[in-house]
Amino acid sequence: AASLIWGFTFAFQSQAADAIGPFMYNGIRMCIGFIVLLPLLLKILKGKDKAYIKSLLFHSFICGLLIGSASIVQQIGIKYTTAGKAGFITSLYTLIVPILSLIVGKKVSKRIWICVFGGLIGAFLLSINNEGGIGKGDIIIFVCAILFALHIMYIDKVGKAFNGVDLSAFQFLTAGIICLIIGSFVETTTLSNIKAALTPILYAGIGSCGIAYTLQVVGQKYVQPAKATLALSLESAWSVVGGAIILGETMSPRELFGCLILFVAVVIAQLPEKKKA
């Protein structure tokens, strides 16, 4: 359910891109996400000491900067590509994380390198246009995938020290406030703009940030991490379904083949390694 909600968000993002600027869109929807998580947050924060809260606010600020930057770049890119393509190219973060992990001294298995190669082929088939070039929007979304990979790596580094809802809620609040401040200077937003994008904003804020995240947290209590990650990988497939149902988007056979290769690469990359005897 979480992957379905996230996948359909791409279609709503595409609708919002025609009505409101990326900073104000993300600022409003992330603040809504914080408000949705607030009841859970208040319950969890009870009894926490000052040191925990101080550390939480610091790391939430860093996480907020990363997820905010990734979301802004994604929203800019989705204006120039389809929701389905954006969903699949964004999923490349799964393959980018192991590569960036080399910087901190982690080893990358041969299987991952094969998946990275396959993922790049799939992304190329998905993104190349009739003139033989890569679409502008697809390049921007690829940058977004790198930023999401950095966000995942930072969460991996500091996330175990905090409750998941705490960290998520405050990163949404941080990103939301920063986006609103920047948006007030660089974008011209009126009530009519907000009204035109209200459905996408509410879906992304309540559904994507609030409900889907809560479903993920609850679901992962009962599902092994590897299985949960594989289930969440369906987000990219749902982005195509959402784009087709909500926006009437279609894909060529080449693009669909690229989606298939990319999806297989992402899934195989997340399968657990076999333990050596």
Side-chain angles (χ1 to χ4, degrees):
S3 68
L4 186 151
I5 292 172
W6 280 327
F8 271 64
T9 302
F10 287 95
F12 286 102
Q13 283 181 250
S14 184
Q15 288 183 330
D18 296 325
I20 193 170
F23 284 97
M24 294 304 290
Y25 167 75
N26 279 294
I28 297 172
R29 67 115 166 177
M30 287 187 178
C31 285
I32 291 174
F34 171 77
I35 293 170
V36 171
L37 291 175
L38 194 56
L40 291 174
L41 182 68
L42 293 175
K43 183 179 179 180
I44 293 168
L45 283 178
K46 277 187 178 180
K48 296 291 196 257
D49 57 39
K50 290 182 179 180
Y52 174 87
I53 294 175
K54 185 178 179 181
S55 181
L56 170 66
L57 292 177
F58 173 77
H59 291 296
S60 295
F61 179 77
I62 303 298
C63 290
L65 287 177
L66 290 171
I67 198 171
S69 300
S71 299
I72 289 298
V73 173
Q74 185 183 63
Q75 189 63 14
I76 293 172
I78 208 167
K79 192 171 183 178
Y80 304 102
T81 188
T82 65
K85 283 187 179 184
F88 269 93
I89 296 172
T90 298
S91 72
L92 278 171
Y93 73 80
T94 308
L95 304 178
I96 295 171
V97 167
I99 297 175
L100 294 180
S101 297
L102 291 171
I103 300 172
V104 293
K106 292 185 178 180
K107 293 183 179 180
V108 177
S109 67
K110 290 181 180 179
R111 186 188 68 178
I112 295 297
W113 283 116
I114 293 171
C115 290
V116 168
F117 181 70
L120 290 174
I121 292 175
F124 176 77
L125 292 173
L126 181 60
S127 303
I128 190 171
N129 55 35
N130 294 330
E131 289 74 39
I134 304 296
K136 174 183 176 181
D138 298 334
I139 294 173
I140 296 173
I141 296 294
F142 180 73
V143 175
C144 145
I146 296 174
L147 291 169
F148 273 124
L150 292 172
H151 176 255
I152 292 294
M153 290 180 68
Y154 194 80
I155 290 287
D156 182 62
K157 181 181 178 181
V158 306
K160 292 178 182 178
F162 307 102
N163 179 281
V165 175
D166 292 353
L167 191 60
S168 181
F170 278 110
Q171 74 171 359
F172 286 147
L173 181 63
T174 299
I177 292 174
I178 292 174
C179 286
L180 288 176
I181 292 172
I182 296 175
S184 66
F185 286 100
V186 302
E187 297 173 355
T188 301
T189 307
T190 63
L191 286 175
S192 61
N193 294 135
I194 297 174
K195 186 177 180 181
L198 190 58
T199 298
I201 288 172
L202 290 176
Y203 181 91
I206 298 173
S208 179
C209 295
I211 296 174
Y213 177 77
T214 304
L215 289 173
Q216 180 193 11
V217 172
V218 173
Q220 284 192 227
K221 289 182 179 180
Y222 306 100
V223 181
Q224 293 175 353
K227 290 182 179 179
T229 307
L230 290 173
L232 293 173
S233 297
L234 288 171
E235 175 187 351
S236 56
W238 286 120
S239 70
V240 176
V241 176
I245 294 174
I246 298 172
L247 304 175
E249 293 178 351
T250 58
M251 285 191 176
S252 68
R254 170 180 52 76
E255 290 171 333
L256 288 171
F257 185 55
C259 287
L260 177 62
I261 295 176
L262 181 51
F263 184 69
V264 170
V266 167
V267 168
I268 292 177
Q270 294 175 86
L271 292 175
E273 296 278 357
K274 289 184 179 179
K275 293 183 180 180
K276 294 182 180 180

